[in-house]
Amino acid sequence: MTSRARVRAPELVGKGGWLNTGGKDLSLADFRGKIVIADFWTFCCINCLHVLDELRELEERHRDTVVIVGVHSPKFVHEADHRAVVDAVARYEVHHPVLDDPELVTWKQYAVRAWPTLVVIDPEGYVVAQHAGEGHAHAIAKLVEELEAEHAAKGTLRRGDGPYVAPEPQAGDLRFPGKAVRLPDGHYLVADSGHHALVELDADGETVLRRIGDGVRGLVDGAEPRFSEPQGLALVPEELDLGYDVVVADTVNHALRGVRLADGSVTTLAGTGRQWWQGSPTSGPARGVDLSSPWDVAFFDGRVWVAMAGVHQLWSFDPVAGTVGVAAGTTNEGLVDGPAGEAWFAQPSGLAVSADGERLWVADSETSALRWVSRGSHEVRTAVGTGLFDFGHRDGAAEQALLQHPLGVTVLPDGSVAVSDTYNHALRRYDPASGEVSTLATDLREPSGAVVVDGDIVVVESARHRLTRLRLPEEAVRVEAVAHRTQRAATEVAPGALRLDVVFSAPTGQKLDERYGPSTRLLVSATPPELLVSGAGADSALSRELVLSGEVAEGVLHVSAMAASCDDDPAVEYPACHVHQQDWGVPVRLVAGGASRLPLVLAGME
């Protein structure tokens, strides 16, 4: 950043108070002399979880000069629950202070428009940069080095420990378990996500028989394996002899792993350990293709299908050929049905196959939707759900029923589908025959998956760190209907011409890489599509003239931007390059006299 505007950082305010500070309330004055990185995140957001992982190295390397402050800014109603934020901070091993801002007060003061957004504040309390989306850790590291040198010379840099105070550790056999499968011998195999391991439990669902993985985060194969926040599990069909018995979605390792139950040995089946970025291969030899936060797996239509939450797609892995590739979805985030190559998903997180093998059911978490893929044609359809910003707990006809960020699906003996309705703390049921949605159970804490056992259902209560066995009721529970919309304020824009500007400044020492063509990409669409009269589609320019219809009162502009920057040193034959990308879903309301320009900061300052 060669020039930095002198903009005073607004105060950090949140009704939920502070976490990871030993009970102390903090203000910006407490950070004077430190470089502050304010990370605006919400725990439903897979991109936010990616950024948490991106920042870990920077956080450790500059621990005596940098303080990362997580500003938790909820999308879903459940995320405004303080207890849920406490759980999320523990679940994702957040090792810095977190401000719980359930009413988005600080979000609004900083004019944030997207999750995740990173704001850099210098030791004197001025905002010097803003970055939206993923891929900015390298740029921020460069900026931190500049700020350290500048403020050390001025005498305004204060070195030493930050205000982080680690919470008391909680003991237990399971820690934020993800999903479970029932083994042929009646035991359960559970993805013990918070312990970075798998756990085999006895038929009682409680007694630990063995652990696979030593509890340390890592990507290690063999007899002493390591995982990183594993989630989904799928049993290999008996007719396949693959040398392993279970496929694991090893989420934060961006990999699929195979487990041989006889001795607990583990093999990496797909993925490189690196996260997939735009421009990376989308098919090929499984061990040579990057993946992005695989959340669940299921054998369907002759392959292992993967809920690739990190890129809003479904992928498939051919265990015989050893290949992997995109099966459905475009990487655009939203709810669009149709042929597999044209459909949109939003963080698909749960998979289950119908008894007849004709449908793959999908829990599409960010659209609070239940969807399915047809065998053979791979057409995508929606059973329940309307889009990114509508959610709640409402039973009845599927077209008006509401879920809230579901993470799991389970096929029941009668052919209906149980939905682990995670943020409603409920187990819901969708009946394809009647098209009705009902509630099977409530008072569950963040259920993330379930297994049918002898007519009962065993639910993974992730935030209670246990499996809970329930009788499937003959009659559904009656729940008072509640409907919600995200509390993000809509941006008021004028009908007609709207100038869209994505702001991007390459980090110090880098430039846009145009050796092989354009290094930027901008994709624009809208919900409903009629909102955009013109300006939809993809192009390389980061600015575009849109025309909005005066016949549509409100909607959402979907904006996806990518920029690639490389080291600007002609002496370096193979310069290091970095991809910066972000997807915005901007709620807009069309009003006379509204704004005629919409700036979105990818990196830099507006």
Side-chain angles (χ1 to χ4, degrees):
M1 304 295 163
T2 54
S3 63
R4 293 192 286 270
R6 300 289 285 176
V7 178
R8 177 67 71 178
E11 189 53 84
L12 301 173
V13 179
K15 187 176 180 180
W18 289 86
L19 304 175
N20 285 354
T21 64
K24 181 181 178 181
D25 289 335
L26 301 176
S27 68
L28 277 177
D30 295 302
F31 302 115
R32 192 57 55 86
K34 297 285 190 181
I35 301 163
V36 176
I37 301 172
D39 176 14
F40 289 84
W41 71 298
T42 188
F43 63 79
C44 73
C45 163
I46 191 67
N47 310 93
C48 300
L49 304 186
H50 290 166
V51 167
L52 284 174
D53 291 324
E54 286 179 10
L55 293 176
R56 292 188 198 278
E57 182 181 350
L58 183 149
E59 185 172 23
E60 183 60 35
R61 184 185 303 167
H62 298 274
R63 185 167 293 280
D64 66 334
T65 59
V66 171
V67 176
I68 297 176
V69 175
V71 182
H72 189 268
S73 312
K75 170 186 173 180
F76 290 97
V77 169
H78 170 61
E79 293 173 307
D81 179 343
H82 182 71
R83 184 176 66 172
V85 179
V86 172
D87 285 343
V89 169
R91 180 193 295 268
Y92 297 116
E93 299 180 1
V94 179
H95 294 162
H96 50 250
V98 173
L99 175 65
D100 181 10
D101 182 20
E103 297 175 347
L104 300 181
V105 174
T106 297
W107 166 287
K108 294 170 185 174
Q109 287 294 310
Y110 279 80
V112 174
R113 292 184 182 275
W115 299 278
T117 291
L118 300 169
V119 177
V120 182
I121 302 169
D122 74 12
E124 295 179 288
Y126 290 93
V127 174
V128 293
Q130 181 171 325
H131 301 261
E134 303 178 50
H136 300 293
H138 175 78
I140 292 176
K142 288 281 190 184
L143 177 56
V144 164
E145 291 171 0
E146 287 183 33
L147 291 172
E148 286 176 338
E150 176 186 336
H151 288 274
K154 291 174 65 175
T156 51
L157 183 69
R158 176 168 56 89
R159 294 183 180 273
D161 292 339
Y164 170 68
V165 178
E168 289 293 323
Q170 300 294 316
D173 291 331
L174 299 177
R175 180 173 170 81
F176 300 108
K179 301 183 189 297
V181 292
R182 197 180 189 210
L183 302 177
D185 60 6
H187 297 166
Y188 298 93
L189 190 66
V190 183
D192 192 10
S193 307
H195 286 139
H196 312 297
L198 308 181
V199 175
E200 184 176 346
L201 300 179
D202 203 349
D204 60 7
E206 297 179 5
T207 305
V208 175
L209 300 177
R210 65 168 165 169
R211 292 184 175 276
I212 301 174
D214 63 5
V216 177
R217 189 191 293 269
L219 179 56
V220 178
D221 284 344
E224 298 179 355
R226 286 182 172 174
F227 301 89
S228 187
E229 298 180 34
Q231 290 286 340
L233 307 168
L235 289 176
V236 174
E238 293 181 1
E239 63 271 18
L240 294 180
D241 183 10
L242 301 175
Y244 51 88
D245 307 291
V246 180
V247 178
V248 182
D250 195 8
T251 303
V252 179
N253 276 329
H254 310 296
L256 302 184
R257 316 289 293 281
V259 178
R260 189 166 61 204
L261 293 174
D263 58 6
S265 64
V266 173
T267 304
T268 297
L269 307 175
T272 63
R274 298 184 300 270
Q275 183 186 338
W276 187 93
W277 289 97
Q278 290 285 354
S280 300
T282 56
S283 64
R287 291 291 301 272
V289 176
D290 298 339
L291 309 181
S292 184
S293 298
W295 210 275
D296 202 5
V297 282
F299 279 84
F300 173 67
D301 204 10
R303 296 178 178 234
V304 178
W305 283 57
V306 185
M308 202 71 75
V311 285
H312 316 299
Q313 290 179 311
L314 303 179
W315 286 43
S316 69
F317 163 62
D318 186 331
V320 177
T323 56
V324 70
V326 175
T330 64
T331 75
N332 295 327
E333 185 179 15
L335 194 155
V336 176
D337 288 343
E342 300 173 13
W344 292 20
F345 296 90
Q347 237 170 274
S349 302
L351 302 175
V353 181
S354 61
D356 61 7
E358 292 297 316
R359 287 185 179 182
L360 177 70
W361 293 101
V362 182
D364 202 28
S365 62
E366 279 294 288
T367 54
S368 298
L370 173 64
R371 308 177 71 186
W372 83 82
V373 180
S374 298
R375 188 174 70 86
S377 68
H378 296 168
E379 287 280 322
V380 178
R381 294 288 180 262
T382 298
V384 183
T386 58
L388 285 165
F389 300 106
D390 295 292
F391 52 90
H393 190 146
R394 186 163 62 200
D395 291 332
E399 58 268 18
Q400 57 86 53
L402 294 172
L403 309 170
Q404 186 178 182
H405 197 81
L407 290 180
V409 281
T410 306
V411 174
L412 299 178
D414 64 358
S416 63
V417 181
V419 179
S420 294
D421 195 7
T422 309
Y423 287 4
N424 279 327
H425 305 295
L427 192 67
R428 311 287 293 285
R429 175 179 179 266
Y430 168 69
D431 183 358
S434 66
E436 292 287 313
V437 174
S438 56
T439 297
L440 294 174
T442 58
D443 193 32
L444 301 167
R445 276 193 66 190
E446 296 192 9
S448 55
V451 182
V452 174
V453 178
D454 301 328
D456 293 343
I457 191 161
V458 176
V459 181
V460 181
E461 281 196 90
S462 190
R464 279 201 177 110
H465 317 292
R466 71 185 190 191
L467 304 189
T468 300
R469 187 161 181 158
L470 304 171
R471 294 277 182 172
L472 283 171
E474 294 182 7
E475 293 186 8
V477 178
R478 291 184 177 272
V479 175
E480 184 177 352
V482 180
H484 301 291
R485 281 183 65 83
T486 181
Q487 60 176 321
R488 283 178 61 193
T491 299
E492 293 190 344
V493 295
L498 176 69
R499 175 75 175 182
L500 172 64
D501 290 319
V502 174
V503 179
F504 177 77
S505 299
T508 301
Q510 293 204 322
K511 65 178 181 179
L512 291 174
D513 177 29
E514 298 185 341
R515 290 170 298 166
Y516 307 108
S519 59
T520 56
R521 178 177 179 268
L522 181 63
L523 175 67
V524 181
S525 61
T527 303
E530 302 79 48
L531 173 64
L532 270 178
V533 176
S534 64
D539 200 353
S540 59
L542 292 181
S543 295
R544 189 178 302 180
E545 292 291 341
L546 310 179
V547 177
L548 306 183
S549 171
E551 303 299 316
V552 178
E554 61 181 8
V556 179
L557 286 174
H558 302 282
V559 180
S560 178
M562 183 275 289
S565 60
C566 297
D567 291 341
D568 187 12
D569 184 349
V572 178
E573 184 177 1
Y574 300 106
C577 298
H578 302 272
V579 176
H580 317 260
Q581 67 181 51
Q582 171 62 0
D583 296 331
W584 291 268
V586 183
V588 295
R589 182 177 301 113
L590 277 70
V591 296
S596 59
R597 177 175 178 265
L598 177 63
L600 300 174
V601 177
L602 179 60
M605 292 286 288
E606 161 62 6

